[in-house]
Amino acid sequence: MGSIGRIRAVTPDIAHRGWKVQRVQRREAMSRNALIVALLLPLGCIGSIGHEDGSDPSGPNGPSEPGGPTTTTTAACADGTIDPGPSPVRRLTRIEYDNTVRDLFGVDLKVGATFPADQTVLGFDNNALGLTVTSVLAEQYMNAAEKLAVAALPRVKAIGGCTAAAMGETACAKQTAERLARRAFRRPANDEQIASLMAAYAARREATFDSGLESMTQLVLQSPFFLYRVELGSVATDKPGLLRLDDHEIASRLSYFLWNSMPDDTLFAAADEGKLATREEIAAQARRMLKDPRAKAAVANFHRQWMELDHLEEVPKDPNVFPEFDDALRGDLRDETATFLENVFWNDGSMESLFTAPYTFANARLAKVYGLPAPSGSGFLKLPTDPSKRIGVLLQPAVQSLHAIAYESSPIYRGKFIREKILCHEIAPPPEGLVVVPPEVDPSKSTRERYQQHSSDAACRGCHQLMDPIGFAFEHYDGIGRYRDKEGMHAIDANGELTGTDVDGKFYGGVELAKRLSKSQEVASCVTTHWFRFAYGRGETEADRCSVATLKQKFAAAKYDMRELVVELTQTDAFLYRKVSP
Amino acid sequence: MNRRQFLRGSGSIAIALPFLSSLQGRVGAAPTPRPKRFIAWFSACGTINPVWTPSGTESAFNFGDILRPLDPYKSDVLILDGVDMLSTSYGPGSAHQKGMGHLLTGTELQSGSFAGGGGASAGFAGGVSLDQVIAKRIGAGSKLASVQLAVQAFNNDVWSRMSYSGAGVSLPPINDPQIAFDRMFGGMVGDPAAVTKLRAQRKSVLDGVAGHFASLNGKLSGEDRTRLDAHLFAVRDVEKRLDAVSSSTCKTPTRPGTMDLKSQAAFPVVGKLQMELLALALACDISRVATFQWSRATSPTVYSWLGSDMKESHHELSHAGDSDAVAKAKLVRINKWHAEQFAYFLGLLKKTEEAPGETLLDNSLVFWGNELAVGNTHSRKDMPFVLAGRAGGAIKPGRYIKYPSGTPHNNLLVSMGNAMGATDLTTFGNAKYCTGALAKLAG
């Protein structure tokens, strides 16, 4: 299980009487729109942070604004400047560790799943800043290496491609060390590394030849060259301080981005032959790799984290109100959305479809709870949805359930989710000093009426008018995402409003909201940001201005095909270059 | 899709608890003079204060219903009333985040959405935690300077961490009794010749690993260097412990079997096993400092083993309004159950004689904290803090002390540090929220 990030508070913090001035933390200041600032400043709800280097890349020379002409960005970056931004050394995540072991040894013991959870930073568990190692983890690396060295012994021998009988023990051990290290370290090993592997071998050779190989394997699996993606062999350029990654490093960047695992034989061969030197060669490899099942898993890993699907396991639901919401249904909802996202990505690719596709995937259990025609047979089948009620990912029960409270919907959480995860704005939490007085349930008022009371309070309104008017649009979906025309005795009022975006305006209901968002360049920019963070294992910085601007431009040029965005992520300065370490 | 993740609350659990007998009447496992031990204990989501608070005077008091399971240990516990987590009024983070991150650090959380907060508004704790400060002073003589154990605290974020070796550097707790066993008792198992051989083999491999790290010297930039150095330090720590031959006469316990860790039903079972492992590690002087955490801040635990009516998560229940008598009664049951667990653990320490008339509990200081005082208001005033043990004579238990409102918990952190031998500590955490040691703990 991946690490789970944010935990939802359970109570709709309706009575935030103590709320003072809030601020919006713009996660993606790169797309900051002057209009937003103008709108929000009088409300006292604006701030900006979100960059790991504390910079604000949205200065006067920043990239284009949402809705602005992309040509200006080209001009700003076309002066030949190459700035790759930071290239932190990245430790393998638990997922990457298990995948790499699987692809290296053909054994799939999933030992990494027992390691302490990796930290979620900026929404993803592969951010280099969070991938630290404590003594507990180092010990588990040791235990895992001991276990795997035994399980992988035949495979290690196969990699070595020799027998002690035919070649002689020492020569065969050395050949095994070279070939094993080359694969495990994802590049040819140097003499020093081989010598250390031979020392580990020799330390246990007195037992048996096999014990020696096990010892060598243990060292390989605990080496920083295995556990980290060390990029040191880079190629000088004619620009001072700038290095181009060498072909083996490019191969690893490709494989860990697109597969969350090590390179395959084809990539190794391409790297050995110097055929990862041009953008075209790299793009061709990326397109080849996207056809591999490992890419499906990596894209699913991105979607799972972006949509916070792991939270489904524990999002609290009141069993008295929603007795249907059992563990099986939680799993089904997760499968539905994961399957939908996979289908949109691979069969269609367009961001617009992500938000507006009029179909879903359901099994009999889901169909029953959500009033869909029961699919014949078992398992998940693609079903058309009523396009006046449900389109795209945002209106799916998983998303609606995740952003609701235990016993009813939550306009606040839903609005906050759209702001933060779809528009890449961030709303700060309530300030200190407030006392949350839980509201008494009042059947004489609809949810909307109760929340309107709260956001009519001047102290709350500043920030809540950024969330609640978006969240109200989802009122046709109850606390577990079932469509409803009435809430008890109250007719649903799903009038909503977007402000501070490039698709501002009043509208009615989740369907219209989804359609608006599907056309938003600010949303496209946010999708780009999430993919950037996942692909590069870090947050965007001022130095990435040109890389990000180029990505947005290419994404737009590809008619917002997310598969093209993924390929383009292998073409940027940030992907191809690094700076000389200080 | 990993279906197993959703299969909670089902299946029966039956495992042996092999440790209890190891503890009964143990004498002389620890070296002389007997070391002090410090354990920071956590349960989540506040309490029901009126039902928690004792009645009576400092020396003549009665427990409220929640703490009544501590009756057999009345002379061993010290109930603190009126201590506030003042520091949590400052710095970034939500109430639960701050309550957890400040509990043992007494200082502001790190800011920004980069680390620890799962992408939310705050990061990990902004300073070293008291257990680690104490571990530096008294942990060196034992195999493990400190251990962090938990029951179902799987996440890696500020809600799930109480122990910090420094600002932003959280120490993950072990949720799996097998892994805990391996960490604490591994290397003691088997015949001595085999153990010696395994140590030599591991040492040789780890030396090679350290060599690989060394080959990166001077080739990495600042932040990378820091992370890789921390990793190498961890490797060295593992290696160092290979040499630490236990001085205790402890009989090697049996390694626990593989068990379900995630289901609702597993919670009390894993908890009991972890408590027994910890008590044994303390008794055997494998470690002198520990944190023990039940779930995490905003606990999602459903206490289904307490009754079929227990359907809501702890966090969910804790948000119920004051007028919700049903929810309140459930919260009392949850908190009382935690008092029973605390009592069980104290019992394990008390059963362990270290010298005639001197128990492991006498040489320990156990601090039971929480990230909140009250769940539905998120208040961190008047925290439900309990101390137990005598800290080798530095603490005088058997009392109920009412402090003036506004007494900062940083003062308590100072006093606990003092009691554990860090007598030079005059402040802890952010000094702004500390006015010195807490009065009256020594009597």
Side-chain angles (χ1 to χ4, degrees):
Chain A
M1 194 184 72
S3 93
I4 293 177
R6 188 166 17 162
I7 311 303
R8 289 288 171 202
V10 173
T11 292
D13 295 333
I14 283 181
H16 286 340
R17 299 295 171 202
W19 282 36
K20 293 174 193 151
V21 171
Q22 297 293 292
R23 57 191 194 134
V24 177
Q25 297 177 331
R26 299 299 312 276
R27 276 209 188 150
E28 206 215 1
M30 278 185 201
S31 65
R32 184 155 68 201
N33 187 325
L35 178 64
I36 299 178
V37 179
L39 274 171
L40 301 187
L41 272 177
L43 308 174
C45 203
I46 182 81
S48 85
I49 62 156
H51 291 271
E52 290 175 3
D53 63 354
S55 68
D56 179 0
S58 62
N61 300 318
S64 71
E65 302 301 342
T70 50
T71 47
T72 57
T73 64
T74 319
C77 300
D79 60 358
T81 306
I82 296 176
D83 195 338
S87 306
V89 173
R90 293 164 68 179
R91 198 201 83 203
L92 303 187
T93 65
R94 299 195 296 178
I95 291 170
E96 289 166 346
Y97 180 97
D98 276 342
N99 289 347
T100 303
V101 164
R102 178 199 63 204
D103 294 342
L104 181 61
F105 293 137
V107 293
D108 200 6
L109 299 181
K110 302 224 185 308
V111 283
T114 66
F115 297 164
D118 295 316
Q119 220 187 109
T120 296
V121 178
L122 290 174
F124 296 100
D125 67 3
N126 64 358
N127 189 298
L129 292 187
L131 291 167
T132 52
V133 174
T134 60
S135 156
V136 167
L137 182 54
E139 194 164 68
Q140 291 189 246
Y141 280 150
M142 180 178 78
N143 294 335
E146 290 173 2
K147 193 171 172 182
L148 288 167
V150 175
L153 182 61
R155 178 65 183 152
V156 168
K157 288 180 163 174
I159 290 171
C162 55
T163 62
M167 187 183 259
E169 283 187 3
T170 306
C172 182
K174 186 149 187 286
Q175 180 168 311
T176 306
E178 283 164 357
R179 294 184 178 184
L180 176 62
R182 176 179 174 278
R183 295 187 65 79
F185 301 163
R186 284 90 61 178
R187 61 178 307 114
N190 60 35
D191 292 345
E192 193 184 354
Q193 290 163 344
I194 297 302
S196 73
L197 295 189
M198 287 305 288
Y201 159 81
R204 282 185 65 194
R205 169 59 199 94
E206 93 285 351
T208 60
F209 180 71
D210 287 0
S211 314
L213 293 187
E214 281 176 25
S215 178
M216 180 192 288
T217 308
Q218 287 177 20
L219 171 53
V220 164
L221 290 174
Q222 294 177 78
S223 167
F225 299 103
F226 173 76
L227 293 170
Y228 291 83
R229 291 158 55 193
V230 180
E231 294 168 343
L232 294 175
S234 315
V235 185
T237 67
D238 55 3
K239 295 193 166 51
L242 184 72
L243 297 173
R244 199 180 180 292
L245 295 185
D246 73 25
D247 287 23
H248 287 95
E249 292 164 351
I250 291 288
S252 280
R253 283 201 173 188
L254 280 169
S255 71
Y256 281 95
F257 168 35
L258 298 173
W259 289 347
N260 298 164
S261 188
M262 63 181 284
D264 66 352
D265 289 342
T266 309
L267 264 180
F268 269 121
D272 289 345
E273 292 160 19
K275 287 184 177 163
L276 290 171
T278 67
R279 281 189 160 91
E280 291 72 25
E281 285 168 338
I282 293 167
Q285 284 290 342
R287 291 185 196 285
R288 174 187 74 85
M289 294 170 71
L290 285 175
K291 294 181 185 130
D292 188 282
R294 281 170 283 195
K296 284 216 165 41
V299 170
N301 185 20
F302 168 82
H303 285 145
R304 173 181 64 83
Q305 299 191 59
W306 181 29
M307 287 294 151
E308 304 174 359
L309 295 182
D310 285 341
H311 293 263
L312 273 171
E313 193 181 347
E314 63 176 37
V315 63
K317 293 295 165 195
D318 188 334
N320 300 309
V321 182
F322 302 117
E324 311 85 350
F325 207 86
D326 58 10
D327 289 344
L329 192 74
R330 289 170 187 265
D332 288 344
L333 292 180
R334 177 186 170 125
D335 287 353
E336 174 188 2
T337 295
T339 309
F340 174 83
L341 291 167
E342 179 178 307
N343 262 270
V344 166
F345 186 92
W346 294 105
N347 299 338
D348 175 327
S350 88
M351 188 186 89
E352 186 171 357
S353 298
L354 182 73
F355 295 111
T356 61
Y359 58 85
T360 190
F361 294 81
N363 60 10
R365 196 161 37 209
L366 279 176
K368 187 169 165 229
V369 176
Y370 293 95
L372 294 162
S376 56
S378 60
F380 278 73
L381 286 178
K382 185 173 175 177
L383 294 173
T385 51
D386 176 347
S388 70
K389 294 179 176 172
R390 257 188 233 282
I391 53 171
V393 68
L394 298 179
L395 306 180
Q396 291 189 341
V399 174
Q400 293 299 316
S401 300
L402 281 168
H403 306 287
I405 58 173
Y407 51 89
E408 63 181 12
S409 70
S410 171
I412 295 177
Y413 288 162
R414 289 172 178 179
K416 188 165 181 278
F417 169 72
I418 298 297
R419 281 279 173 201
E420 292 191 337
K421 284 286 188 159
I422 307 301
L423 287 158
C424 289
H425 304 174
E426 188 175 337
I427 313 279
E432 198 34 59
L434 89 147
V435 174
V436 184
V437 182
E440 300 296 327
V441 173
D442 181 355
S444 75
K445 290 192 169 70
S446 71
T447 303
R448 182 176 185 126
E449 284 167 335
R450 285 184 283 127
Y451 279 77
Q452 270 171 336
Q453 283 179 335
H454 131 262
S455 55
S456 64
D457 185 315
C460 312
R461 194 170 57 232
C463 289
H464 277 279
Q465 74 177 42
L466 296 173
M467 298 179 279
D468 303 7
I470 296 175
F472 286 141
F474 294 115
E475 271 302 285
H476 276 295
Y477 309 89
D478 72 7
I480 60 171
R482 285 177 305 198
Y483 191 88
R484 59 186 181 182
D485 288 314
K486 289 189 127 185
E487 178 193 3
M489 57 190 242
H490 308 284
I492 295 289
D493 173 359
N495 279 296
E497 183 174 10
L498 278 161
T499 52
T501 72
D502 64 335
V503 285
D504 280 358
K506 297 191 177 195
F507 58 88
Y508 186 87
V511 166
E512 202 178 324
L513 172 61
K515 286 180 181 166
R516 275 179 189 253
L517 294 172
S518 77
K519 306 273 190 204
S520 162
Q521 291 194 39
E522 197 164 1
V523 171
S525 165
C526 184
V527 170
T528 306
T529 298
H530 288 306
W531 270 110
F532 181 106
R533 292 171 178 177
F534 180 75
Y536 303 154
R538 62 180 178 87
E540 63 284 3
T541 69
E542 161 69 14
D544 298 306
R545 182 190 298 162
C546 291
S547 288
V548 170
T550 307
L551 283 170
K552 289 181 189 172
Q553 189 190 1
K554 300 272 188 182
F555 191 25
K559 306 230 179 334
Y560 300 107
D561 187 323
M562 297 176 289
R563 295 166 299 190
E564 290 303 310
L565 174 61
V566 166
V567 173
E568 290 301 336
L569 279 157
T570 69
Q571 303 288 298
T572 62
D573 294 347
F575 191 86
L576 299 169
Y577 296 92
R578 71 180 182 91
K579 288 175 194 154
V580 177
S581 299
Chain B
M1 168 66 215
N2 183 355
R3 182 74 53 178
R4 189 178 55 81
Q5 292 173 0
F6 291 94
L7 295 179
R8 298 176 303 178
S10 60
S12 60
I13 293 166
I15 55 155
L17 299 170
F19 306 109
L20 197 55
S21 60
S22 313
L23 283 169
Q24 301 273 14
R26 168 170 303 285
V27 175
T32 309
R34 265 80 59 194
K36 292 184 181 187
R37 278 70 152 219
F38 177 73
I39 304 97
W41 192 267
F42 169 84
S43 65
C45 293
T47 190
I48 303 293
N49 268 43
V51 191
W52 179 89
T53 308
S55 58
T57 65
E58 180 172 326
S59 54
F61 64 95
N62 290 306
F63 289 118
D65 192 36
I66 286 173
L67 293 183
R68 199 152 290 146
L70 299 181
D71 259 335
Y73 306 100
K74 202 168 175 182
S75 62
D76 299 300
V77 299
L78 185 53
I79 312 297
L80 307 179
D81 200 350
V83 177
D84 296 352
M85 287 217 277
L86 179 66
S87 67
T88 67
S89 296
Y90 303 90
S94 70
H96 287 281
Q97 290 176 321
K98 284 191 285 196
M100 192 65 175
H102 288 236
L103 183 62
L104 295 176
T105 66
T107 194
E108 289 88 343
L109 301 183
Q110 294 188 327
S111 61
S113 56
F114 313 127
S121 57
F124 279 127
V128 65
S129 57
L130 177 66
D131 58 302
Q132 292 305 301
V133 170
I134 293 171
K136 277 225 164 67
R137 307 293 182 103
I138 68 170
S142 54
K143 178 183 172 187
L144 295 163
S146 69
V147 295
Q148 291 76 35
L149 297 185
V151 185
Q152 297 187 0
F154 297 104
N155 296 358
N156 187 347
D157 53 37
V158 69
W159 293 274
S160 310
R161 293 282 193 269
M162 58 194 293
S163 183
Y164 290 84
S165 62
V169 188
S170 75
L171 299 176
I174 298 172
N175 291 284
D176 182 340
Q178 279 190 333
I179 293 173
F181 176 91
D182 290 344
R183 183 160 169 79
M184 297 192 289
F185 302 101
M188 290 170 59
V189 186
D191 78 90
V195 166
T196 305
K197 199 168 157 196
L198 177 65
R199 280 188 184 138
Q201 288 167 3
R202 286 178 163 173
K203 206 161 165 15
S204 125
V205 171
L206 293 179
D207 278 344
V209 172
H212 284 200
F213 277 96
S215 73
L216 289 168
N217 274 346
K219 294 178 181 166
L220 299 174
S221 62
E223 281 184 347
D224 291 340
R225 184 74 263 158
T226 304
R227 281 197 305 280
L228 274 284
D229 280 350
H231 187 157
L232 176 59
F233 183 82
V235 169
R236 287 294 187 200
D237 185 52
V238 172
E239 192 172 1
K240 206 167 64 191
R241 287 205 310 277
L242 297 176
D243 296 329
V245 179
S246 175
S247 60
S248 84
T249 57
C250 275
K251 193 179 143 207
T252 304
T254 314
R255 188 173 192 261
T258 302
M259 58 192 299
D260 167 26
L261 301 174
K262 299 189 104 182
S263 74
Q264 290 167 11
F267 193 84
V269 182
V270 171
K272 194 169 185 209
L273 201 45
Q274 297 278 67
M275 286 191 285
E276 290 171 357
L277 280 169
L278 176 56
L280 197 57
L282 295 166
C284 297
D285 201 32
I286 284 165
S287 188
R288 297 169 185 175
V289 177
T291 56
F292 194 102
Q293 95 189 54
W294 296 90
S295 190
R296 56 165 160 80
T298 64
S299 167
T301 306
V302 178
Y303 288 69
S304 52
W305 62 93
L306 293 180
S308 57
D309 59 329
M310 293 295 237
K311 292 177 178 170
E312 307 90 343
S313 75
H314 189 183
H315 182 216
E316 189 179 341
L317 278 172
S318 75
H319 272 258
D322 287 342
S323 62
D324 187 340
V326 174
K328 203 191 262 185
K330 288 180 181 178
L331 287 166
V332 168
R333 281 156 69 194
I334 288 172
N335 281 288
K336 191 170 181 175
W337 183 82
H338 277 289
E340 288 166 6
Q341 308 315 302
F342 192 66
Y344 180 75
F345 181 70
L346 298 186
L348 294 176
L349 303 189
K350 196 165 181 172
K351 274 180 204 138
T352 307
E353 273 204 313
E354 298 211 290
E358 181 185 318
T359 72
L360 177 53
L361 183 56
D362 293 330
N363 292 322
S364 299
L365 173 58
V366 193
F367 163 57
W368 179 10
N370 198 305
E371 93 270 28
L372 299 177
V374 183
N376 64 4
T377 64
H378 288 157
S379 166
R380 278 98 59 215
K381 295 185 193 316
D382 204 359
M383 292 297 295
F385 288 155
V386 178
L387 301 184
R390 290 169 199 279
I395 298 283
K396 186 185 165 200
R399 294 179 297 149
Y400 161 48
I401 307 180
K402 289 185 213 181
Y403 289 97
S405 167
T407 302
H409 94 293
N410 290 34
N411 293 15
L412 174 60
L413 298 176
V414 171
S415 291
M416 291 195 290
N418 293 162
M420 295 311 296
T423 48
D424 54 321
L425 278 186
T426 54
T427 187
F428 198 88
N430 188 332
K432 279 196 286 188
Y433 320 125
C434 190
T435 55
L438 195 62
K440 294 200 278 194
L441 290 187

